[in-house]
Amino acid sequence: MRLGNRFYTLMVCLLLVSVFLAACGNSNNNATPNSSQSNETSPASSQTGQKDPKKSVELIFWHHYSTASPEEKTLKEVLIPKFEASHPGVKVNAVSFPWDQLHQKLQIGATAGELPDIARLDIIWVPELQANGMLVALDEKFPDFGDVSQGLLSGPLSTAVVGEHTYALPLNTNTKVMFWNETMFQAAGLSAAPATTEEFFAALPKLKESNPKGWGFGEPALRGWNILPWLWSNGGDVLSPDNTTAEGYLNGEASVTIVKQLQDAFAKGLLTGFKPGETPVTEGHAKGTYAMMAEGPWAFAQFKEQFADFRPKAASFPAGKGGSVQVLGGEDIGVLSKEHPQESWEFVKFMVSEEAQVEMGKVGQIPVNLKAMDHPDIQAVGYFGPFLEQLKTSKARPPVAAWPQIDDVLNDTFMRIFLQNADVQGTLDDAAKQVNALLQK
């Protein structure tokens, strides 16, 4: 038995040695690790800097470039492909909404928790969205914010500042000028666009007389964007300089006087364009329906695209007691993403880069990138001249969080004044009370 035990013990030892050697043989570089090992990062791989392949990221970009417009075409066919090519693994899904619908989508999305990663924002929306906690503070989140922002126009950049932080970057800037149809003016015995509001109202009946089926002026809507230039140029306003009250401003003498003049011109059939079913203003201007209109640089792109034979003429907005004052327009681009903030920031930076700004400038978007403004392709856009001149006296709409709601009040107010011939003073008195109530919320 002792011999048998020794033999048995020897065999066991030999077996253990062979197992150990086999295990050592399997530890070479050709070995296939087991499942638990494959899910861990070894110290060696960490030291060599190896990383897991980057997962594909889809960024949702909400905007209000008009569908099938030159701007949207450039965005989808030129800019997004260039961005995706330089950022492998990142895809951009651009979704277009009409201006008012985009604002509603953002409001609803804030409640429902369904927001895009990035959005093109009207500059008047920024204070409201910031107050709702929807926008990322770019200067606080991204270390290279300063480097990016210093290459942009300071005026448009200021539209995204709320309190001590910047919540978006300017994407484009604009204002409006007075377009005038030279053929219609010549038929009325007029040779130039009106330089003053007095000349404007004097020209309207002459234009109507020479073209009974048309109108002297076309205005597509009655919101702040449309009405403020008339109030400002006449020395009026919607809010006080400190943006605390509408009393004495929206219903003040200067505002009431110019609104009465506009109401009277509408009643006489001298201006229109905002009633449902009427000919779109830009189309009507090219076709001889509206002798004048106040529009932005995008109108030139539309004329080139749809009315190639029409030769538009542009001049400064008619000056009143307050000067020639138009509304400062433009859009900002902001990051809303909590899941992909860095990738979203990369897209924002690309959209305000010289390359992207030049491409958008070619189709009528005034650049905010300083290098892009000096680019030969932008300098060659001759029609930017009147807008750059008008921008010198343009004003931004009040930077208050309640502005979208105030804008609704203005729209309802002026629709009653024009379409229902409501008493101007009484209606503006009521509107001032509604605006003050919104400011106090």
Side-chain angles (χ1 to χ4, degrees):
M1 292 295 295
R2 288 181 180 177
L3 181 60
N5 288 339
R6 289 195 191 99
F7 180 79
Y8 176 78
T9 301
L10 178 61
M11 292 301 295
V12 169
C13 290
L14 290 173
L15 179 62
L16 290 173
V17 170
S18 64
V19 170
F20 175 77
L21 291 174
C24 292
N26 283 337
S27 65
N28 59 44
N29 291 333
N30 295 323
T32 302
N34 60 38
S35 59
S36 63
Q37 291 173 326
S38 65
N39 290 329
E40 297 176 358
T41 302
S42 68
S45 65
S46 297
Q47 292 172 1
T48 58
Q50 295 176 353
K51 296 180 180 179
D52 292 335
K54 198 171 185 178
K55 293 182 179 179
S56 178
V57 171
E58 181 185 47
L59 300 177
I60 306 300
F61 174 42
W62 287 0
H63 65 85
H64 56 280
Y65 294 115
S66 299
T67 304
S69 67
E71 295 93 340
E72 191 195 38
K73 185 176 181 180
T74 298
L75 173 69
K76 289 192 170 183
E77 297 182 9
V78 179
L79 297 185
I80 289 178
K82 284 187 176 182
F83 174 78
E84 292 178 343
S86 61
H87 294 78
V90 181
K91 298 295 181 183
V92 179
N93 181 6
V95 185
S96 176
F97 300 94
W99 177 87
D100 55 342
Q101 289 185 24
L102 176 56
H103 186 228
Q104 292 173 4
K105 285 282 291 184
L106 289 168
Q107 290 174 316
I108 294 171
T111 303
E114 297 177 357
L115 290 170
D117 296 288
I118 314 121
R120 182 184 189 231
L121 311 169
D122 192 304
I123 58 176
I124 64 172
W125 299 345
V126 174
E128 176 197 15
L129 301 185
Q130 184 275 334
N132 291 334
M134 297 164 62
L135 295 172
V136 173
L138 304 181
D139 55 338
E140 193 174 40
K141 179 73 173 178
F142 305 109
D144 57 345
F145 169 83
D147 294 334
V148 176
S149 62
Q150 69 180 1
L152 308 177
L153 286 170
S154 58
L157 181 62
S158 69
T159 65
V161 177
V162 182
E164 298 180 353
H165 294 291
T166 303
Y167 292 88
L169 290 181
L171 186 58
N172 57 272
T173 189
N174 62 61
T175 190
K176 296 183 292 181
V177 296
M178 186 63 80
F179 284 79
W180 58 288
N181 186 308
E182 188 173 28
T183 300
M184 297 176 72
F185 266 64
Q186 290 176 345
L190 302 169
S191 59
T196 65
T197 51
E198 184 178 356
E199 291 179 5
F200 172 82
F201 286 109
L204 291 181
K206 296 178 182 179
L207 292 164
K208 183 69 173 180
E209 184 179 357
S210 65
N211 183 20
K213 294 184 178 181
W215 291 267
F217 181 72
E219 186 63 77
L222 295 175
R223 292 186 169 274
W225 173 255
N226 313 91
I227 297 298
L228 277 170
W230 296 104
L231 302 187
W232 287 336
S233 295
N234 202 52
D237 214 325
V238 171
L239 298 180
S240 59
D242 60 2
N243 297 320
T244 60
T245 182
E247 188 63 41
Y249 295 89
L250 178 56
N251 59 343
E253 181 181 356
S255 298
V256 170
T257 299
I258 191 66
V259 173
K260 282 183 177 179
Q261 287 181 277
L262 292 168
Q263 182 193 49
D264 182 62
F266 173 76
K268 293 177 179 178
L270 305 180
L271 62 85
T272 192
F274 46 81
K275 294 194 296 183
E278 290 186 320
T279 302
V281 169
T282 306
E283 175 186 338
H285 184 64
K287 290 184 174 181
T289 301
Y290 308 110
M292 291 181 282
M293 68 172 189
E295 270 295 359
W298 51 84
F300 278 98
Q302 186 174 349
F303 290 139
K304 182 179 179 180
E305 185 86 8
Q306 300 179 14
F307 308 99
D309 295 333
F310 179 64
R311 296 293 177 264
K313 305 279 283 186
S316 294
F317 192 72
K321 296 177 181 178
S324 172
V325 188
Q326 256 294 344
V327 63
L328 177 67
E331 280 74 28
D332 293 335
I333 183 168
V335 174
L336 297 86
S337 180
K338 301 296 188 292
E339 187 175 357
H340 307 297
Q342 188 60 47
E343 292 87 351
S344 299
W345 173 237
E346 292 299 319
F347 183 70
V348 167
K349 290 193 296 182
F350 173 77
M351 289 298 290
V352 302
S353 68
E354 178 184 3
E355 178 183 23
Q357 292 275 296
V358 168
E359 291 296 336
M360 278 300 194
K362 294 176 184 178
V363 292
Q365 299 285 302
I366 296 179
V368 295
N369 183 289
L370 296 173
K371 290 183 178 180
M373 293 185 72
D374 293 330
H375 193 280
D377 287 347
I378 298 302
Q379 292 293 313
V381 183
Y383 63 77
F384 277 168
F387 297 99
L388 297 176
E389 181 64 27
Q390 189 72 68
L391 279 167
K392 295 177 181 178
T393 56
S394 295
K395 292 174 58 175
R397 285 155 287 183
V400 295
W403 179 256
Q405 292 73 42
I406 293 173
D407 207 18
D408 289 338
V409 171
L410 295 178
N411 181 65
D412 294 342
T413 296
F414 288 107
M415 289 294 280
R416 290 201 303 274
I417 287 172
F418 287 101
L419 298 184
Q420 300 176 18
N421 201 33
D423 175 70
V424 173
Q425 183 69 67
T427 306
L428 291 180
D429 286 342
D430 180 60
K433 293 177 181 177
Q434 294 181 57
V435 171
N436 281 350
L438 290 169
L439 290 173
Q440 295 170 7
K441 286 186 176 180

